[in-house]
Amino acid sequence: MRHGLTRRRFLRGVGGTTLALPFLEAMVGKAHGGKTPQRYVFMFAGFSVGSNPGNHLAPSEFGALDPKNLPIGMQPLGTHGVTDVISMVSGLSMPSAADVPPGGRPTGFHSTAHRVLATGTRQNGSQMMSDSSDQLAARYLAGDTLQDSLIYGAQPAYYYGEGDGGSNGVISARRNEAGDMEQLPPITSPRVAYESLFEGFIPPDPELAAAARRELAMRKSVVDLVSEDAESLISRLGKEDSLRMQRHFDEIRSLEGRLEELELPDSPACVLPEHPGDDPPIGSVIADYSHGSDFENDQAYSNEALRAQVMVDLIHMALACDISRVASFMITQAECFMNVFPPLGIPSDVHEITHGRVGGGDEQMQALARVAGWHLDFYGQLTSRLRDTLDIDGNSLLESTALAFAFEGGWGYDTATGSESSPHSTENMCMLLGGQAGGLHADGVGQHIDGAGRHPTAILNTALQAVGVPETLGEVPGGIDELLP
Amino acid sequence: MRGTAANAGLVALLLSAGCYSGFSASGLDGEDSAGATDGGAEGEGSGTDDGTGEDPPIPEEDAAEVGASGLRRLSITEYERTVADLTGLMPEAVGELLPIDNLTPFDNDYTTQTPSEPLVKGLELLCGDIADAVVADAQLRDALLPCEPTGVDDAACFEQFLATFGRKALRRPLTGEELTRYGILLEHGVEAGEFDAAVAAALRMFLQHPELVYRVEIGEEVEGQPGVFRLGAHEVATRLSFFLAGTTPAPWLLDAAEAGDLDSREGIAAAASQLLEGDEGRTSIGRFHGLWLGYHQLADEGLSGAMLGETQALIERNIFEERQPWSELLTATETYVTAELAEHYGIPEPAGGEGWVPYEESGRGGLLSHGSFLSVGVKFGDTSPTQRGLLVRTRLFCQEIPLPADDLMVDVDEPPGADPDACKTERYYMMNEPACSSCHQLMDPIGFGLEQYDASGALRTEEPDKPECEITGDGDFVGVGAFNGPKELGDMAVESGLVEACASRMLYRYATGHFELDEHDEALIERVLEEQDGTFELFGFVEAYVSSEAFRHRRELQGGE
């Protein structure tokens, strides 16, 4: 590394620094008329687990959640003490048929259910065809925050077969100003996520501040030149190519806008997190699936536990610092082939657990519930930290936040094969909704609610309603009335 | 950095003397009419090749072969090699900071690439890392600078650096306007008190520049042939280099472009020959095979590394040294192994620890016997006859497996069969199920014919942990005949005549960056195969392809296409 201060060096050296600047009350007031900004978070786990009895995910009874008596999958929520601000809705169902109904999916499960769940709209091939919940939320909630939305993923690779698994790793989409749908891949690099949030940070030390300003100015001038050249190319390319270059240019322009000094409200809650360091290496595909023991290593694993932890930290601080008010966090990709031996000691990838790799019956369901619990631990963490973080109005951040959690599928009838008890099913789905925005959990009681076959996207509609978004998603009208007062 | 390479003058000399050992230049039409020169003229706008507007129409039958092309982003491997060749530094963490390539099965398919926030942001950070690392290494930095700066504000030296490096990075000379604009980056050196800071800023810029990150093709529309564009010489150089060497054009190739040597089809063929004959050519063709046949993900160490070496040795000997038809790879009678690999296969060990060993009566033969090929297609803890059969049908024969019903997605990944303790021949019952047999009859019998070779290519006669389940290795290439083992399958595949058509199409897909082929693509492939009597010999195919009008043109889809 050359001499002198580079961005990484001083960002790595000043973790824990309060980002406080002279109080900028106007910053809080001007975007939303003095009202507390509302926040929306969507989190996703890429596998199927149902609320069927014996699946160790949903409580056996409906009603108030008992933190001392939670099924295996939900126990992390008890650990984090958030069962009073999170509810589960089980028994949800997404329709599936060869002639796909509104809000439904085709009969093939994989690479379909997650797109419909996120948008409430039937997909077109591998494309989501309407705004995903986070993007719809961003339209109404972003205000003039530095980042309209955060789109994160913890699993950087598909791990099975070829390449990146295509659209299994994408769960955000928006319709742009030209009316075209844009599929929005998540940032899966903790370092990229961290530095893109805090690249405008100027440390208080005068010497460091001068170096930081120089570096920022240099980066901006470089990106300005790149942006100019990208823009000039657009008109000279053919139609299809110009659309691609336009998209690239749009992202460069967005980056340009971020390379400014970061101005933040004066809040003790707004603290620069520690730099995560270099990213963990990307795990290799497991070429030989001959034996379960072949999973007893760190192949097909890129330290998603660390990645997810960093991203929870970043989402928390981005909300606390009002850098962003919306986040989508795809913890694992749809049809998740991540090896769970490193984090859980289970010698299998997630997908194959759903298909009996670690045994059948209760052994299988317990393993699956542990995987669910691993995911929900991050959800519980974030909920807990938001509750413990003061907003600029003196209330808890959680009071202005709705956090939705979705699993890719449920457990039940597979319309493709006719199997009655299959993970390739969107029957008996479970979703969770946490937070206290809009009256959620006003009575201080988290509930287990019978979804009674309602559409899982209805939970997202309820979350959006709670934070003041006046639209519902795609082809799924309505929400879960029991969740709101 | 690049090793020694012939310059354009030497190429021309060799051509005139007729003494080069590369392409035979057969099929070329002799002197070519003046084509588009590169558009790197100083003056306005970007210097991308726009041609000169004097492009004569090409014969209709040639125009019919011009396929569509699109803005193609460098794959991660291509970007790594480009950075290494430009700076001398093999970049780290490219795969961590940039989105992973989708494979179709190649990693350079532009139809699957999407610009995105993670790409742009990851690239910006990565370029900063690379720039910092290069200027921190005095040797690397000095190799990039064509002059010794007299001070932090030496604008002349900085401009020389921009021109020299920029030409290599953007794959064309910079315009005067660009040199002026980019020259402002010197200010950062002045502010920092270090000339290196300006160099680092410039490196950052070039390495994330859209004309480095993407292969931009514009060209000039051919009069009378709407939608057909003649590429400039630098664009042709870029096509050649990434196709045959997997990296950015070397200085000698840029020189050739600027000398006009790539304005003729003979010149293009000569340059292609030079690229293919180099080490990078062997690596690139090796990589093509790995992606095509699915074994590219094998770790290059230990036994799997030996398998990769085995396959690469056969490719190099058959294709590069002996110029045999590609199908001979499937019928090779010997293989290149280490002692460890030989023992693993149960064949005689090579003398000296590593070398060619005849298969003799082992039952093995050809590439289908290699552990590399056999490592693909595993599922449920063992080899999957369905997956192996699918690999053979779709990758080796380019056949599509029809769905049993229009609305049924084939997504069955349950362990096949109701009884997990049953033998595999019973568990794989789908080929006898009426609703499933139309697909599985095409795949499973092929896979069963390879079952005696496990996922590491080792021979076995019973299923893992099931000694009662004998593996006979009896298979059936439905519609062709029965076989047993990879040798017989290879022989049968060659006799069927399917592999030549498929291999040629796969190479074409790799070259052009799109999996779907239209009538223009098929016209070229069919014509070349016909001229070669239906035989796919890689060098011959490459020569014919790069010598075609299609190679130095692109097609823009018109409305309604």
Side-chain angles (χ1 to χ4, degrees):
Chain A
M1 201 64 68
R2 69 186 164 101
H3 295 298
L5 289 162
T6 62
R7 178 136 212 88
R8 275 199 297 171
R9 287 181 65 182
F10 66 71
L11 273 180
R12 291 186 193 206
V14 293
T17 301
T18 301
L19 295 169
L21 288 173
F23 186 56
L24 296 170
E25 187 172 351
M27 290 286 293
V28 173
K30 68 180 181 177
H32 45 82
K35 294 182 186 169
T36 302
Q38 302 294 293
R39 287 94 174 183
Y40 175 81
V41 177
F42 172 74
M43 294 172 76
F44 175 83
F47 65 100
S48 288
V49 58
S51 52
N52 317 55
N55 282 19
H56 300 290
L57 178 62
S60 55
E61 303 290 331
F62 297 113
L65 294 176
D66 178 358
K68 296 191 180 65
N69 190 25
L70 293 170
I72 295 172
M74 289 186 74
Q75 283 172 6
L77 303 181
T79 303
H80 290 295
V82 291
T83 53
D84 55 333
V85 289
I86 288 178
S87 292
M88 170 181 277
V89 184
S90 66
L92 299 161
S93 184
M94 179 190 298
S96 164
D99 186 10
V100 185
R105 63 171 180 91
T107 53
F109 172 77
H110 282 309
S111 306
T112 61
H114 70 289
R115 293 194 206 103
V116 181
L117 191 153
T119 62
T121 304
R122 288 166 284 184
Q123 65 204 308
N124 181 3
S126 63
Q127 305 289 302
M128 286 175 273
M129 295 306 293
S130 64
D131 287 352
S132 53
S133 67
D134 59 308
Q135 296 305 302
L136 180 59
R139 288 189 197 280
Y140 287 91
L141 306 183
D144 60 358
T145 52
L146 291 168
Q147 193 99 17
D148 283 357
S149 67
L150 307 178
I151 306 175
Y152 292 162
Q155 181 185 341
Y158 186 52
Y159 300 128
Y160 183 76
E162 312 277 40
D164 69 351
S167 55
N168 274 0
V170 181
I171 204 163
S172 290
R174 67 174 171 231
R175 193 170 294 281
N176 64 20
E177 289 178 5
D180 301 316
M181 284 305 304
E182 291 179 352
Q183 313 297 305
L184 305 174
I187 292 175
T188 57
S189 158
R191 188 183 152 209
V192 172
Y194 179 96
E195 299 206 22
S196 70
L197 270 188
F198 298 110
E199 53 208 345
F201 171 69
I202 303 296
D205 176 87
E207 186 187 347
L208 292 178
R213 289 194 172 94
R214 274 200 304 274
E215 171 124 352
L216 205 55
M218 180 271 294
R219 290 174 67 193
K220 190 163 167 54
S221 74
V222 164
V223 173
D224 283 348
L225 289 170
V226 172
S227 175
E228 285 170 15
D229 286 344
E231 188 175 27
S232 77
L233 265 178
I234 292 169
S235 60
R236 301 176 60 233
L237 296 170
K239 180 169 181 262
E240 294 292 326
D241 289 354
S242 69
L243 289 175
R244 288 195 188 92
M245 186 54 64
Q246 179 70 54
R247 176 88 188 260
H248 191 93
F249 168 70
D250 290 343
E251 295 296 346
I252 295 174
R253 288 283 292 168
S254 174
L255 173 61
E256 265 184 297
R258 299 280 299 119
L259 294 173
E260 303 282 354
E261 284 192 36
L262 191 61
E263 293 184 17
L264 295 165
D266 182 9
S267 165
C270 192
V271 175
L272 185 71
E274 293 287 337
H275 192 287
D278 290 333
D279 287 345
I282 306 287
S284 58
V285 171
I286 292 182
D288 185 353
Y289 277 66
S290 294
H291 302 287
S293 60
D294 285 344
F295 284 88
E296 292 175 7
N297 50 48
D298 57 1
Q299 289 185 82
Y301 184 71
S302 307
N303 204 343
E304 274 80 347
L306 173 65
R307 291 170 182 266
Q309 187 60 62
V310 170
M311 286 168 187
V312 164
D313 293 345
L314 293 178
I315 293 171
H316 169 234
M317 200 46 60
L319 268 52
C321 299
D322 208 31
I323 295 174
S324 184
R325 297 171 189 159
V326 176
S328 166
F329 184 22
M330 195 179 201
I331 304 172
T332 46
Q333 296 189 19
E335 197 181 10
C336 174
F337 280 97
M338 181 187 77
N339 181 9
V340 285
F341 183 78
L344 293 172
I346 303 172
S348 176
D349 59 278
V350 175
H351 179 256
E352 292 303 305
I353 295 176
T354 71
H355 291 296
R357 161 76 57 74
V358 294
D362 193 59
E363 183 185 2
Q364 175 189 15
M365 291 308 159
Q366 287 206 29
L368 206 53
R370 288 178 61 205
V371 175
W374 180 82
H375 288 77
L376 287 175
D377 182 56
F378 298 108
Y379 181 62
Q381 256 195 69
L382 181 59
T383 306
S384 171
R385 289 165 73 178
L386 291 174
R387 182 171 59 187
D388 295 341
T389 302
L390 284 182
D391 203 348
I392 200 158
D393 61 3
N395 293 320
S396 152
L397 267 178
L398 195 66
E399 292 185 40
S400 57
T401 305
L403 304 94
F405 189 100
F407 295 96
E408 181 185 358
W411 205 277
Y413 183 70
D414 179 357
T415 45
T417 64
S419 170
E420 293 286 346
S421 179
S422 170
H424 289 179
S425 177
T426 42
E427 291 185 341
N428 300 305
M429 291 182 72
C430 297
M431 302 266 289
L432 294 99
L433 180 54
Q436 295 172 297
L440 288 170
H441 304 106
D443 57 359
V445 180
Q447 300 278 347
H448 175 209
I449 296 169
D450 182 3
R454 286 173 281 186
H455 199 291
T457 305
I459 279 53
L460 304 186
N461 284 341
T462 304
L464 292 170
Q465 181 185 351
V467 294
V469 173
E471 291 185 46
T472 53
L473 287 164
E475 300 165 325
V476 177
I480 307 294
D481 295 339
E482 301 93 303
L483 285 167
L484 286 171
Chain B
M1 292 293 281
R2 251 350 129 73
T4 56
N7 59 31
L10 178 58
V11 171
L13 178 62
L14 289 172
L15 274 173
S16 65
C19 59
Y20 71 100
S21 60
F23 295 150
S24 64
S26 63
L28 298 178
D29 293 338
E31 284 298 316
D32 204 0
S33 52
T37 58
D38 78 77
E42 303 205 359
E44 306 150 21
S46 155
T48 49
D49 285 351
D50 284 352
T52 64
E54 292 288 326
D55 305 299
I58 55 177
E60 280 304 318
E61 61 268 25
D62 291 336
E65 294 180 353
V66 177
S69 70
L71 192 67
R72 194 181 339 176
R73 190 174 78 234
L74 268 53
S75 67
I76 286 178
T77 300
E78 288 171 340
Y79 187 83
E80 286 174 335
R81 298 197 53 207
T82 293
V83 170
D85 287 336
L86 290 176
T87 68
L89 177 79
M90 177 53 80
E92 295 176 0
V94 178
E96 278 78 18
L97 291 176
L98 298 186
I100 290 177
D101 298 314
N102 198 16
L103 302 182
T104 64
F106 303 115
D107 59 359
N108 61 4
D109 191 328
Y110 68 84
T111 64
T112 67
Q113 295 172 341
T114 308
S116 65
E117 179 189 18
L119 169 69
V120 168
K121 288 186 173 176
L123 198 55
E124 200 264 337
L125 286 183
L126 178 65
C127 294
D129 291 352
I130 295 169
D132 287 347
V134 169
V135 298
D137 185 317
Q139 198 171 351
L140 294 179
R141 181 204 60 219
D142 290 348
L144 295 185
L145 291 179
C147 47
E148 183 73 33
T150 56
V152 298
D153 57 353
D154 188 344
C157 185
F158 190 61
E159 185 170 295
Q160 282 186 57
F161 161 68
L162 289 174
T164 309
F165 188 83
R167 171 180 178 259
K168 290 184 291 186
L170 303 193
R171 305 186 280 269
R172 57 160 177 86
L174 301 192
T175 65
E177 185 264 346
E178 287 169 331
L179 288 171
T180 302
R181 283 174 53 237
Y182 302 159
I184 64 169
L185 294 175
L186 183 63
E187 293 170 7
H188 300 294
V190 172
E191 278 187 38
E194 299 177 342
F195 189 81
D196 284 355
V199 173
L203 289 175
R204 273 181 184 257
M205 183 204 64
F206 283 122
L207 295 176
Q208 62 185 294
H209 196 283
E211 285 186 59
L212 181 146
V213 175
Y214 293 93
R215 292 162 51 176
V216 176
E217 293 184 344
I218 298 177
E220 188 77 16
E221 194 162 29
V222 176
E223 190 181 342
Q225 288 167 332
V228 177
F229 291 75
R230 175 70 173 268
L231 299 180
H234 290 89
E235 293 167 328
V236 170
T238 298
R239 271 197 178 186
L240 278 172
S241 191
F242 280 105
F243 171 30
L244 299 173
T247 186
T248 196
W252 70 264
L253 190 53
L254 295 175
D255 292 341
E258 284 149 30
D261 297 334
L262 302 184
D263 294 343
S264 72
R265 292 157 68 182
E266 294 90 340
I268 295 172
S273 175
Q274 185 164 345
L275 285 167
L276 210 47
E277 297 278 10
D279 288 342
E280 286 141 343
R282 290 170 183 242
T283 301
S284 186
I285 295 301
R287 181 167 167 76
F288 156 69
H289 281 83
L291 289 165
W292 170 22
L293 298 173
Y295 60 81
H296 61 97
Q297 298 185 93
L298 279 178
D300 192 7
E301 58 187 13
L303 201 63
S304 59
M307 293 175 190
L308 292 173
E310 174 190 23
T311 304
Q312 182 68 15
L314 183 64
I315 289 170
E316 291 194 14
R317 188 183 74 172
N318 275 35
I319 291 176
F320 285 83
E321 289 152 30
E322 297 180 2
R323 305 291 167 94
Q324 292 183 19
W326 189 90
S327 58
E328 296 286 318
L329 289 174
L330 304 186
T331 58
T333 57
E334 57 181 11
T335 191
Y336 190 93
V337 287
T338 61
E340 182 191 12
L341 188 57
E343 183 184 357
H344 179 74
Y345 286 162
I347 63 177
E349 292 185 12
E354 186 171 326
W356 292 97
V357 169
Y359 283 122
E360 293 177 346
E361 302 304 318
S362 65
R364 296 177 186 264
L367 188 147
L368 303 187
S369 306
H370 289 194
S372 58
F373 179 81
L374 293 166
S375 71
V376 185
V378 292
K379 209 166 186 182
F380 313 131
D382 190 12
T383 56
S384 165
T386 304
Q387 292 296 316
R388 277 182 165 173
L390 181 67
L391 178 75
V392 170
R393 286 283 184 183
T394 59
R395 297 287 179 90
L396 210 52
F397 304 145
C398 291
Q399 293 175 333
E400 290 185 23
I401 303 296
L403 289 172
D406 287 343
D407 61 348
L408 191 63
M409 284 185 67
V410 181
D411 191 24
V412 177
D413 52 11
E414 292 283 357
D419 179 5
D421 294 324
C423 296
K424 199 181 268 188
T425 47
E426 291 178 51
R427 300 203 315 271
Y428 278 74
Y429 62 86
M430 297 291 188
M431 53 186 172
N432 300 315
E433 282 287 301
C436 311
S437 59
S438 61
C439 293
H440 281 271
Q441 275 290 341
L442 297 174
M443 298 181 289
D444 297 12
I446 290 178
F448 274 110
L450 299 172
E451 266 296 286
Q452 282 194 332
Y453 298 85
D454 71 12
S456 68
L459 187 64
R460 61 183 180 180
T461 54
E462 59 195 37
E463 291 185 31
D465 303 322
K466 289 181 184 170
E468 72 280 12
C469 295
E470 183 194 3
I471 300 176
T472 64
D474 291 331
D476 192 6
F477 187 169
V478 171
V480 179
F483 71 94
N484 186 301
K487 178 184 182 306
E488 290 187 9
L489 177 61
D491 292 340
M492 200 170 278
V494 172
E495 279 183 37
S496 73
L498 293 171
V499 289
E500 280 81 5
C502 185
S504 59
R505 279 166 176 75
M506 286 298 187
L507 185 65
Y508 183 86
R509 286 169 167 135
Y510 177 74
T512 56
H514 56 90
F515 189 82
E516 297 302 325
L517 304 178
D518 65 13
E519 67 274 21
H520 306 294
D521 304 311
E522 292 288 351
L524 182 141
I525 296 167
E526 288 295 330
R527 195 248 314 152
V528 171
L529 280 176
E530 191 179 323
E531 288 174 357
Q532 299 190 338
D533 299 322
T535 300
F536 174 68
E537 187 270 309
L538 191 139
F539 268 69
F541 186 91
V542 169
E543 178 198 354
Y545 171 48
V546 303
S547 305
S548 68
E549 289 293 352
F551 187 78
R552 56 182 185 166
H553 290 81
R554 70 174 181 93
R555 179 180 297 278
E556 216 164 272
L557 295 175
Q558 303 296 297
E561 284 189 78

